[in-house]
Amino acid sequence: MTQTAVLSAAPAVTVVRSPATTEPRWVRIVLLSVAALFLTLFLLIPLAAVFAEALAKGWRVYLESITEPDALSAIRLTLIAAGISVPLNLVFGVAAAWAIAKFQFRGKSILLTLIDLPFSVSPVISGLIYVLLFGAQGWFGEWLREHDIRILFAVPGIVLATLFVTFPFVARELIPLMQAQGTEEEEAALVLGASGWQTFFRVTLPNVKWGLLYGVILSNARAMGEFGAVSVVSGHIRGETNTMPLQVEILYNEYNFAAAFAVASLLTLLALLTLALKAIADWRSQHPAHTHRAS
């Protein structure tokens, strides 16, 4: 009997799915219903409530609430804090991830621990650390007072607090990605005569661009929404050191609910925009072939 005849005579193999990997239809329906109910109760309804309360007194009151001087100052300060902290986090995150993933050096584990420090320290505690350093009775307080330099209750303190709570995001997104990619492509580029900077910009950076964007998006979202650390170092000076989250708190405590929810709606819109950008970055990173064809 020929090999072809033997193969044709062989019985067809039927793949049977394990019961452990399949679920009855009613189980899937229950799980999806629970997930949909959870999202509705804890995500969709609160989001709708924010916009409903913001527009409860009409568009005129809404626009007046977000364009009055204190609100504009809060928006401007939030953008300044994010505009300074996010680029600095970008530079630090890329440098730290490149060093940790591509090189071996003494103290690597200590650096990794320090990067994770803001995740384990309460934001309020981080704000108090800056008070200890730069406050009137702090370590550098007397020197700062003699040289008429203001850190606390001013923009520099807000930027420093924002930097502290946001700097792990870019590095933590890039480190596992770079480690998974290894060093073979960089070594090949160096063998072919590329310099260190050429290797970085033409080999390393293109391979991690979507992870880098993902980390920047998360860092920016945290910078704009940070409350605890900024609350400690800001002094709550209306029109000067209030960011958007602090402005929402002050308006709410004054029972000015329409204005409070109006400013909160801007933060909500920023959060939704962040989620949309995050979803796009996820999709692009998981479908590199589509990205390549599109380019």
Side-chain angles (χ1 to χ4, degrees):
M1 184 179 294
T2 64
Q3 183 178 4
T4 304
V6 172
L7 293 175
S8 61
V13 178
T14 303
V15 178
V16 180
R17 293 184 179 181
S18 171
T21 60
T22 59
E23 299 291 348
R25 181 180 178 83
W26 68 269
V27 173
R28 296 196 297 269
I29 293 175
V30 170
L31 292 176
L32 289 174
S33 300
V34 171
L37 179 63
F38 184 88
L39 289 175
T40 301
L41 291 177
F42 296 100
L43 181 62
L44 298 180
I45 291 179
L47 286 177
V50 169
F51 290 103
E53 289 292 334
L55 298 171
K57 295 184 179 181
W59 279 100
R60 184 179 63 82
V61 175
Y62 178 83
L63 293 176
E64 289 177 354
S65 299
I66 63 176
T67 56
E68 59 97 13
D70 288 346
L72 291 177
S73 174
I75 295 171
R76 182 168 56 252
L77 182 56
T78 301
L79 295 177
I80 290 173
I84 295 175
S85 62
V86 172
L88 291 177
N89 286 327
L90 171 64
V91 174
F92 168 79
V94 172
W98 195 19
I100 291 172
K102 304 298 183 180
F103 301 97
Q104 296 295 330
F105 57 91
R106 185 176 300 176
K108 180 188 289 191
S109 60
I110 297 176
L111 179 57
L112 281 170
T113 302
L114 292 176
I115 290 175
D116 289 335
L117 185 62
F119 288 145
S120 57
V121 175
S122 168
V124 175
I125 300 301
S126 65
L128 290 175
I129 292 174
Y130 286 111
V131 173
L132 176 63
L133 292 175
F134 305 119
Q137 306 300 323
W139 293 358
F140 306 109
E142 183 177 353
W143 184 87
L144 292 172
R145 186 169 57 253
E146 291 175 354
H147 292 79
D148 195 24
I149 299 176
R150 292 184 61 191
I151 301 295
L152 295 183
F153 312 142
V155 174
I158 294 173
V159 172
L160 287 174
T162 304
L163 272 171
F164 181 86
V165 299
T166 58
F167 83 83
F169 288 97
V170 175
R172 265 304 168 191
E173 288 298 325
L174 292 182
I175 289 172
L177 182 58
M178 287 186 175
Q179 288 176 333
Q181 292 174 349
T183 60
E184 290 80 6
E185 293 186 18
E186 284 82 0
E187 292 172 354
L190 293 174
V191 169
L192 292 175
S195 64
W197 286 113
Q198 289 176 326
T199 301
F200 174 75
F201 283 108
R202 297 187 180 184
V203 179
T204 304
L205 194 58
N207 288 337
V208 299
K209 59 183 178 181
W210 294 115
L212 178 60
L213 176 61
Y214 188 82
V216 169
I217 291 171
L218 293 179
S219 179
N220 183 70
R222 179 63 186 274
M224 290 189 173
E226 175 56 30
F227 179 85
V230 173
S231 178
V232 174
V233 301
S234 72
H236 292 266
I237 305 174
R238 297 187 69 153
E240 294 186 21
T241 63
N242 275 344
T243 58
M244 292 170 68
L246 301 183
Q247 181 71 4
V248 171
E249 181 199 28
I250 288 178
L251 293 172
Y252 190 84
N253 289 337
E254 294 176 348
Y255 302 100
N256 191 351
F257 298 128
F261 280 102
V263 179
S265 69
L266 296 180
L267 286 172
T268 305
L269 289 173
L270 290 173
L272 294 175
L273 177 61
T274 299
L275 289 175
L277 293 175
K278 175 178 173 292
I280 294 172
D282 281 340
W283 185 86
R284 289 295 185 90
S285 64
Q286 294 172 7
H287 299 81
H290 294 279
T291 305
H292 179 70
R293 286 197 295 269
S295 61

